[in-house]
Amino acid sequence: MIAVDCRHQTLCPPADSPDREAAHIVSHHPEQGWSLLCNGVLLFDDTGELLPDGSVIAPHRPIGNVRIAAAA
């Protein structure tokens, strides 16, 4: 488990909050496809998440307003 001590004003949302992705990025590794948020959440480029307690949140990309082109 990652111990994270948020010192931001206003405090970042905790890892168990629905808005946990709004926390500040403390380490960004785009070449590896992940970022560590201030609340200890590992956020992956595919929108999946690994929480500090080891829980996994499956990727949850928005699917609204998708256009599919059909061959004519």
Side-chain angles (χ1 to χ4, degrees):
M1 185 168 194
I2 300 170
V4 179
D5 188 21
C6 179
R7 294 190 172 112
H8 296 109
Q9 290 299 334
T10 313
L11 293 178
C12 291
D16 59 355
S17 173
D19 62 343
R20 66 184 152 263
E21 295 174 12
H24 287 83
I25 295 173
V26 295
S27 184
H28 183 58
H29 294 275
E31 72 283 359
Q32 296 177 354
W34 62 270
S35 297
L36 175 63
L37 304 181
C38 184
N39 55 10
V41 172
L42 279 173
L43 180 61
F44 296 95
D45 287 352
D46 69 355
T47 70
E49 302 171 23
L50 179 61
L51 304 184
D53 67 0
S55 300
V56 174
I57 306 295
H60 49 277
R61 290 186 172 143
I63 57 172
N65 206 12
V66 176
R67 293 184 183 198
I68 299 173

